[in-house]
Amino acid sequence: MSGNLSAVVGVVSLVTALTAALWAVLRLRARRGIATATQRATYEVLHTAGLAAEPLRAGLSAAGAAKAVRHLRALVGAAGLALTDADTLLALDGRGTHHAPQLLAAAQRAVANARSTVLGESELHCDRVDCPVRGAVIAPLHGADNRVVGALVAVADGPPAPGLVQATLETAHWAGNQLALAELDSSRERLARAEVRALRAQISPHFIYNALTAIGSFVRTDPERARELILEFAEFTRYSFRAHGEFTTLAEELRSIDRYLTIERARFGDRLQVRLQIAPEVLPVTLPFLCLQPLVENAVRHGLSRKPGTGMVSIEARDAGAECHITVEDDGVGMDPTTLTAGIAELARGSGDPGDETGQHVGLSNVDERLRSVFGDRFGLVVETGVGSGTKVSMRVPKFHPGVRAGS
């Protein structure tokens, strides 16, 4: 699901970038006086469409409709234009205000039947002798999954001509696509929140029990140490279960990991060694919330806890120009790469069992999907492992990415 959403968002971003480039070229040509009439018309249409697209991409609401309706009327070339949802006339620009109840009733029928319709003067009867309205064209707005979510109503000051009918239908189709993309954006955000909740659910049963057991072992022998561990545990859980923010900074994520490792060292003692190598300049880098913690937890739980003797977890974050390169490595038991690949494939199909050898890598799969969803397919996880050879997980994070801010 997230892969499909990522692909859609990627295509939309590409189209937006190409449109912006075309606008820039046409604007430059216009300034130099060398734009043709066709180029100027193309620029005006694209510019107007862009102004209408922005509020529509926020979803079908009264506020968004009020911002978009004037630009949509310019695209259609109608005397008046209205936007409705399934029940309400959200906004109307231009002529036809006193026909609002009739237009809304016709729009509701169009939404219910999922069919466009043309109204003549006889269907828009009016007692006003100076009324200029002579007809209207109503076209349903199709959102995601081809569901009808509203209607676009073009008001005519004469019998609706074929050109107005076609312009209304095409504009309604384009506006529906913007609304569908808004729904996909919303779905992507809900998916990201669901994936974070899944990670929290993964952390809680495995870690909390072990943490409380470790703390309990110090209550009588070293009360001060137990107190410190309780405070570390409280801060760790506060961060992990915070209610807002899809993104965080590397510095915040590392602070939480330090608390996690402090508690794990209380369990494992000298068996658990930790090496950190963090470039100070990458500490403010923004990354998806809880995308580093699961990698460290996997290294401890599935790499070192099964290894006899001492084990090492290494965390490195390097400055790499426009990117930050992060690795989490352990010298634990490792695993067969084929088993890892098969396990992640089962998780993608939804058939992995969280309690078996496949399901233990839900954290890796989750983090990989979120990185690709946010930054693009070039920024997924790279896993290097082998039986008895430990595991190394690497990720690349752009230092700056549109729409990605800590706490958002």
Side-chain angles (χ1 to χ4, degrees):
M1 175 65 174
S2 61
N4 293 335
L5 291 175
S6 179
V8 170
V9 173
V11 170
V12 172
S13 300
L14 177 60
V15 171
T16 303
L18 292 175
T19 302
L22 177 58
W23 287 355
V25 171
L26 292 174
R27 190 181 297 113
L28 180 61
R29 285 177 173 267
R31 288 175 180 170
R32 294 178 178 176
I34 59 176
T36 66
T38 300
Q39 289 170 334
R40 286 195 296 272
T42 301
Y43 167 74
E44 291 298 332
V45 170
L46 289 174
H47 180 65
T48 303
L51 294 174
E54 184 175 352
L56 290 176
R57 287 292 300 276
L60 190 59
S61 65
K67 294 177 181 178
V69 67
R70 177 168 61 90
H71 306 299
L72 292 173
R73 183 163 80 91
L75 288 175
V76 175
L81 190 129
L83 277 174
T84 80
D85 58 19
D87 305 306
T88 310
L89 195 152
L90 301 174
L92 190 154
D93 183 71
R95 296 174 182 171
T97 303
H98 61 287
H99 284 285
Q102 295 166 308
L103 296 175
L104 175 59
Q108 289 172 333
R109 290 193 296 272
V111 170
N113 300 327
R115 294 179 60 183
S116 58
T117 184
V118 178
L119 302 181
E121 186 174 356
S122 62
E123 297 165 285
L124 291 172
H125 54 277
C126 182
D127 295 333
R128 290 175 49 175
V129 295
D130 61 340
C131 177
V133 176
R134 294 293 181 268
V137 183
I138 296 96
L141 296 171
H142 294 266
D145 301 324
N146 206 35
R147 291 181 298 102
V148 179
V149 296
L152 186 146
V153 182
V155 177
D157 52 8
L164 177 65
V165 174
Q166 190 62 36
T168 302
L169 295 177
E170 292 296 332
T171 302
H173 178 71
W174 174 86
N177 287 339
Q178 305 308 308
L179 296 173
L181 291 171
E183 291 184 57
L184 290 174
D185 285 342
S186 177
S187 297
R188 174 181 170 274
E189 292 174 4
R190 289 196 300 270
L191 178 64
R193 290 194 294 269
E195 289 173 336
V196 170
R197 286 196 296 270
L199 278 178
R200 288 168 174 159
Q202 181 206 11
I203 291 169
S204 58
H206 296 288
F207 175 71
I208 293 177
Y209 173 80
N210 291 331
L212 293 176
T213 300
I215 292 170
S217 68
F218 287 99
V219 169
R220 292 192 176 187
T221 59
D222 193 343
E224 185 60 28
R225 179 79 184 280
R227 178 180 176 278
E228 292 173 359
L229 290 174
I230 288 173
L231 293 176
E232 295 286 2
F233 177 73
E235 286 300 309
F236 173 82
T237 53
R238 181 189 63 81
Y239 174 80
S240 298
F241 294 99
R242 71 180 191 180
H244 65 281
E246 184 182 344
F247 302 102
T248 189
T249 64
L250 176 61
E252 285 290 328
E253 194 83 348
L254 287 172
R255 271 193 286 270
S256 179
I257 288 169
D258 180 62
R259 296 181 182 113
Y260 166 79
L261 290 173
T262 296
I263 296 169
E264 291 291 51
R265 280 195 293 263
R267 286 181 58 211
F268 290 102
D270 293 338
R271 286 183 55 208
L272 175 58
Q273 303 294 315
V274 179
R275 184 178 69 86
L276 293 175
Q277 189 172 351
I278 310 297
E281 55 268 28
V282 300
L283 289 174
V285 168
T286 300
L287 65 167
F289 177 61
L290 286 183
C291 80
L292 199 54
Q293 154 68 25
L295 308 185
V296 177
E297 184 176 4
N298 271 357
V300 175
R301 284 178 53 205
H302 305 305
L304 301 184
S305 64
R306 304 175 185 177
K307 176 186 177 180
T310 302
M312 172 75 73
V313 174
S314 301
I315 305 171
E316 181 180 357
R318 296 185 293 106
D319 184 5
E323 298 176 353
C324 170
H325 291 181
I326 304 171
T327 61
V328 176
E329 185 173 7
D330 67 74
D331 59 359
V333 297
M335 70 178 303
D336 185 347
T338 305
T339 303
L340 173 65
T341 303
I344 291 177
E346 283 194 36
L347 287 171
R349 293 192 299 268
S351 57
D353 178 1
D356 64 15
E357 189 73 17
T358 297
Q360 73 183 29
H361 299 288
V362 64
L364 292 177
S365 178
N366 188 305
V367 172
D368 180 70
E369 289 179 6
R370 288 196 293 141
L371 287 171
R372 293 177 188 274
S373 176
V374 173
F375 300 125
D377 284 337
R378 297 188 301 112
F379 293 94
L381 293 181
V382 176
V383 182
E384 303 169 60
T385 188
V387 177
S389 302
T391 302
K392 179 179 180 181
V393 183
S394 306
M395 71 171 73
R396 296 158 48 222
V397 178
K399 287 183 178 177
F400 305 99
H401 192 79
V404 174
R405 293 182 297 106
S408 63

